[in-house]
Amino acid sequence: MAPNVAKLIPSDPEKVMVIRSITPDIKTFSTPFLRFGRVKIGGRGTAVRLGSGTTAVFSPVALTPTVRAEMASLGPTKYLVALDQEHHIFLEDWHKAFPDAKVIAPETLPAYRDKQGYFRIPEGNWKLFEAGASAQGKLSVDEEFDREFDFTYVDGHANKEVVFNHRKSGTLIEGDLLFNLPATEQFSRSGLDPKSGLLSRLFSWLNSTQGEALAQRRLIWYGICENKPAYNREVNRISGWKFDRIIPCHGDVIETGGKGIFDKVMKWHLEAARKGQ
């Protein structure tokens, strides 16, 4: 783990983590997380047990003793997923605990980790998503994984997002594509108010899904999206999936009505995609 990470995460994640069963096959691991060491956006890992009995872990959080026990109860960990090039800080611990697991990530992540001084995961473990592969219909992990999930690579996003839909439960799992702040659950055991402090209040307002969600819609359209045609295409693809729940990495889980919220936040991109833009 890079030395500058300590100011972003809890000193003792075991004491403040909220572990919850979303369905019999899905568990979430929610913790405090500070963007830039100051902004309370929360962090969340999600584990999904596949029909085969193996498990995929999306955006792994700290591998505490309790997390290890919960993972053992789900089944063998076969897949570790970095949902974008920022959601990787605990990959070293998880890779060492599960050295045979495939590490699914955007193509940019290995070089990004090298630049930041992280542990180098062996080349043979990586399953990297490449720009343009989704548009060409060439994204695949393996047969076991592919039959459980819809997935795509939103390379037009600044953080290079990989996004998944667990078909069986209709659950969208994503990193920084959509926030649902404030991070109430993630700070619920910390004694901290997720909206305390000017920057956290501002970030919560900018990344809310309430009402028309115009602030978040504008933030994505004008700030987060780096390549609009590519972004529009993949967001439109996601909108076509069947899901009701959204598990974001930052903010509360959207238990129901997630498809409508997703389409609301991404409205301008969906309209542009349907115009061929």
Side-chain angles (χ1 to χ4, degrees):
M1 187 181 299
N4 63 339
V5 169
K7 64 182 181 180
L8 309 180
I9 61 176
S11 58
D12 188 352
E14 184 83 4
K15 291 183 177 179
V16 293
M17 188 179 296
V18 177
I19 300 176
R20 187 158 65 95
S21 293
I22 302 295
T23 77
D25 295 319
I26 301 176
K27 287 184 184 287
T28 55
F29 305 89
S30 301
T31 73
F33 183 82
L34 301 176
R35 189 74 173 107
F36 313 118
R38 299 182 66 185
V39 185
K40 302 179 188 71
I41 64 172
R44 177 177 292 108
T46 302
V48 180
R49 178 168 51 204
L50 281 61
S52 62
T54 63
T55 304
V57 183
F58 300 83
S59 191
V61 295
L63 189 57
T64 69
T66 302
V67 172
R68 286 178 181 269
E70 293 287 347
M71 292 306 302
S73 74
L74 281 173
T77 299
K78 188 172 181 179
Y79 306 95
L80 302 174
V81 185
L83 288 170
D84 62 35
Q85 66 180 18
E86 299 291 344
H87 286 249
H88 67 96
I89 63 177
F90 293 103
L91 276 181
E92 177 179 346
D93 290 345
W94 284 77
H95 164 70
K96 289 179 177 177
F98 308 103
D100 296 326
K102 288 186 179 179
V103 182
I104 303 167
E107 60 188 337
T108 56
L109 185 53
Y112 194 70
R113 284 176 61 84
D114 287 348
K115 183 178 179 181
Q116 294 184 330
Y118 280 88
F119 170 85
R120 181 170 287 184
I121 293 170
E123 186 175 334
N125 286 83
W126 290 107
K127 180 63 182 180
L128 300 175
F129 286 5
E130 298 180 356
S134 179
Q136 298 169 28
K138 295 181 179 179
L139 276 187
S140 176
V141 175
D142 59 28
E143 193 277 333
E144 179 183 356
F145 189 93
D146 292 1
R147 67 172 174 257
E148 302 271 345
F149 297 96
D150 301 308
F151 48 92
T152 196
Y153 177 27
V154 189
D155 56 286
H157 190 286
N159 289 345
K160 309 302 179 187
E161 301 292 305
V162 290
V163 182
F164 299 82
N165 178 45
H166 182 233
R167 297 191 189 106
K168 178 182 177 181
S169 64
T171 300
L172 191 73
I173 303 170
E174 50 88 14
D176 292 341
L177 191 70
L178 181 150
F179 285 43
N180 186 36
L181 296 183
T184 306
E185 180 181 45
Q186 291 157 324
F187 282 87
S188 62
R189 295 186 63 197
S190 70
L192 299 175
D193 179 351
K195 291 199 294 183
S196 63
L198 178 60
L199 288 176
S200 293
R201 287 198 300 274
L202 175 62
F203 221 75
S204 290
W205 174 73
L206 285 170
N207 291 281
S208 170
T209 60
Q210 298 301 306
E212 288 300 306
L214 281 173
Q216 184 163 191
R217 194 185 300 174
R218 288 174 178 140
L219 178 64
I220 294 169
W221 181 265
Y222 294 109
I224 304 300
C225 174
E226 291 187 335
N227 180 333
K228 282 193 172 60
Y231 191 100
N232 299 345
R233 180 189 66 235
E234 299 309 327
V235 164
N236 190 54
R237 187 190 308 277
I238 294 166
S239 179
W241 297 343
K242 294 181 180 179
F243 62 91
D244 186 50
R245 179 187 297 109
I246 300 177
I247 301 180
C249 282
H250 307 297
D252 288 346
V253 173
I254 299 171
E255 304 285 357
T256 190
K259 174 62 165 53
I261 289 171
F262 181 87
D263 287 355
K264 175 179 68 177
V265 173
M266 302 296 172
K267 179 180 179 181
W268 296 341
H269 294 281
L270 295 173
E271 291 173 347
R274 289 158 192 168
K275 293 175 184 176
Q277 299 173 351

